[in-house]
Amino acid sequence: MSFVTTADGTDIFYKDWGTGRPVVLAHGWPLNSDSWEAQQLFLADNGYRAIAHDRRGHGRSTQTWHGNEMDTYADDLAALLDHLDLRDVTLVGFSTGGGEITRYIGRHGTSPVAQAVLVSAVPPLMLRRDDNPGGVPIEVFDGIRAGSVADRSQLYRDLADGPFFGNNRPGVEISQGVRDAFWLQSMAAGHRNAYESIAAFSATDFRDDLARFDVPTLVIHGDDDQVVPFEVGGKASAALVKGARLLVYPGAPHGITDTHKEQLGDDLLAFLREHA
């Protein structure tokens, strides 16, 4: 098993598959790098070095008491890139992972970065505020926090069985295996880590970070995303990144890494091949 140890002693687990130009994949809440396995295998089979890590407090990484916010997530990602001496890398972030790579660029710049991809990602700002009137009400996130405290195992079941994969939509049937995998990964996250990460993904303002993007950027989002609404997430982020390309998956839910894995793999590969 491979780990990088950060400055504060946290061990960050990562998988490093294949050879070629590097692609680093940052996962969503409250999952871990296993959620990227379909894309990681596909990219490695197509000539890329696909690397996916477990965010601190998630999966096999250290369940720290501290650091469960975006600045530290971004610094942990920087430690991984430095440890592996990665250059000319494409950063891909799903959901909360989209916030992680966005804050990384905001804090560390794009010196080693060739491309960026935001998939169903939380930037620019999920929470409804006076300066973000189209955002999601705080009561939604307070409800997630309450569910986490009361019975987080059932909360994760409810997310997987309902809005995350769109299984609550007429005619949609997501396999038991996919839903069970979501629950299993979620339960591997530390209770405090997952709880504090709710504020990290919902209340962090990434607008200034997006303004620092100066590399080719692809934004992919489903227009039936019930977790990070399209208007709040992908559409708004694409408008803030100069030259960003927006791909909309009609009728797609939040969890497109599973529900649309073939389409997503093809779109990622096509984007990667544009970089000489």
Side-chain angles (χ1 to χ4, degrees):
M1 296 179 71
S2 299
F3 293 88
V4 56
T5 302
T6 68
D8 69 354
T10 301
D11 290 330
I12 301 296
F13 170 82
Y14 66 92
K15 305 177 185 182
D16 190 347
W17 295 358
T19 58
R21 192 165 68 80
V23 182
V24 173
L25 304 138
H27 65 79
W29 175 91
L31 305 173
N32 58 55
S33 58
D34 292 350
S35 63
W36 276 121
E37 282 195 335
Q39 290 74 37
Q40 196 176 5
L41 181 62
F42 177 76
L43 294 175
D45 281 344
N46 279 277
Y48 291 88
R49 182 183 177 187
I51 301 159
H53 62 291
D54 291 355
R55 186 172 301 115
R56 70 167 54 212
H58 297 68
R60 289 136 292 201
S61 292
T62 305
Q63 291 187 9
T64 56
W65 189 252
H66 57 278
N68 304 303
E69 33 71 26
M70 283 294 167
D71 286 355
T72 304
Y73 296 161
D75 293 348
D76 290 347
L77 177 57
L80 176 66
L81 268 60
D82 290 345
H83 173 72
L84 296 176
D85 193 26
L86 299 181
R87 298 291 181 270
D88 207 27
V89 62
T90 297
L91 296 178
V92 184
F94 167 74
S95 194
T96 300
E100 181 179 331
I101 72 165
T102 299
R103 181 51 54 91
Y104 168 86
I105 290 175
R107 284 174 69 82
H108 298 277
T110 56
S111 177
V113 181
Q115 298 170 298
V117 186
L118 299 174
V119 181
S120 306
V122 298
L125 173 59
M126 286 194 70
L127 183 63
R128 179 181 295 172
R129 302 189 328 197
D130 290 344
D131 63 347
N132 191 45
V136 179
I138 185 66
E139 290 79 12
V140 172
F141 305 113
D142 286 344
I144 298 172
R145 276 184 277 265
S148 180
V149 170
D151 187 347
R152 74 185 188 114
S153 180
Q154 189 60 49
L155 170 68
Y156 302 148
R157 287 286 187 200
D158 292 343
L159 286 170
D161 292 343
F164 195 90
F165 300 111
N167 199 52
N168 55 349
R169 296 303 199 209
V172 176
E173 293 185 10
I174 305 301
S175 75
Q176 190 68 53
V178 166
R179 290 180 281 139
D180 286 351
F182 178 96
W183 175 86
L184 182 64
Q185 290 177 46
S186 300
M187 289 303 296
H191 193 349
R192 175 180 169 90
N193 306 104
Y195 181 87
E196 291 199 334
S197 191
I198 298 166
F201 74 68
S202 65
T204 303
D205 188 342
F206 298 100
R207 288 174 290 192
D208 289 343
D209 304 297
L210 290 169
R212 295 199 64 189
F213 277 49
D214 58 2
V215 295
T217 301
L218 177 64
V219 180
I220 302 175
H221 217 105
D223 67 6
D224 192 30
D225 190 327
Q226 301 171 69
V227 177
V228 182
F230 170 66
E231 299 281 342
V232 174
K235 183 177 180 180
S237 284
L240 292 175
V241 176
K242 184 178 180 180
R245 183 186 314 166
L246 175 62
L247 289 182
V248 181
Y249 287 10
H254 187 63
I256 57 176
T257 51
D258 284 294
T259 63
H260 291 64
K261 61 184 180 182
E262 292 86 2
Q263 182 179 358
L264 178 60
D266 289 343
D267 287 334
L268 289 175
L269 185 60
F271 184 63
L272 287 162
R273 286 175 172 170
E274 292 178 8
H275 178 71

